[in-house]
Amino acid sequence: PDKSGLFAAGSYSRNVGLYDGGTGKLLYNLQGHRGGVTQAEWSRDGQYLFTGGRKDDEILCWDVRNTGDVLLRLPRAVTTNQRILFDLDHSGRFVITPSLSSDPSLLVYDLWAQVGEAGAEPVARVPCPALANGVQIHPTLPLLAVSTGARRFPLPGEDEDDAAAAAAA
């Protein structure tokens, strides 16, 4: 986003590589995740990289001007191998992420209030009626899309109506 020529790629080996866009050469290897990295998203100004992973209870914010340093850790509960998607709002101020705790919710972090702190607390926790696995903030309108759901297959001796009723419960 800042025309620096960098691109980022996460891996299941829990690392994030920063590469030169022109040559493809690895410039930096960012380490700190506890699970395979499934999402990497640049801040709107291109100075920060946010990364999240499977079975990893933190979104990490990296300061790419001082590569290698984790600037901020945004806690969330991710206990699954499923990809759980977060998003940054268009102003670059808020990060919203699902949290798969025993009380499923969306967590809202205010980055302007959090920068410089080792750990962050959400400024809002929005309850979800079902486990959310992703969020997307509309770039210009005050809209938020949330994806939810889990696969539920009928067990032997159970018909599809029983399976649907159990999934809705």
Side-chain angles (χ1 to χ4, degrees):
D2 68 348
K3 312 285 189 267
S4 68
L6 288 179
F7 72 89
S11 75
Y12 286 124
S13 64
R14 304 183 309 263
N15 297 318
V16 178
L18 292 181
Y19 296 87
D20 181 297
T23 66
K25 179 182 175 186
L26 176 66
L27 301 174
Y28 301 101
N29 183 27
L30 306 177
Q31 300 176 341
H33 277 285
R34 291 182 220 130
V37 178
T38 56
Q39 184 177 2
E41 188 167 336
W42 293 101
S43 63
R44 303 301 183 245
D45 63 8
Q47 296 181 23
Y48 306 102
L49 179 67
F50 293 82
T51 56
R54 61 199 291 176
K55 289 194 174 182
D56 193 334
D57 287 338
E58 295 177 315
I59 296 169
L60 300 181
C61 174
W62 307 88
D63 184 347
V64 295
R65 299 167 301 168
N66 189 14
T67 306
D69 292 343
V70 175
L71 179 64
L72 189 62
R73 296 173 184 275
L74 305 175
R76 65 179 182 169
V78 177
T79 56
T80 177
N81 280 324
Q82 185 176 7
R83 185 177 181 198
I84 306 300
L85 299 175
F86 61 88
D87 201 10
L88 292 117
D89 80 313
H90 193 66
S91 72
R93 180 172 184 173
F94 296 101
V95 172
I96 301 178
T97 182
S99 186
L100 306 181
S101 63
S102 58
D103 184 20
S105 56
L106 299 178
L107 304 178
V108 180
Y109 290 96
D110 183 345
L111 298 176
W112 295 355
Q114 309 281 351
V115 173
E117 298 178 17
E121 291 295 322
V123 294
R125 184 180 301 265
V126 180
C128 288
L131 291 175
N133 55 20
V135 296
Q136 182 79 48
I137 302 169
H138 193 282
T140 58
L141 297 175
L143 297 173
L144 176 69
V146 179
S147 58
T148 64
R151 290 192 149 198
R152 174 80 165 92
F153 296 98
L155 298 172
E158 187 178 58
D159 65 26
E160 288 186 26
D161 291 336
D162 293 335

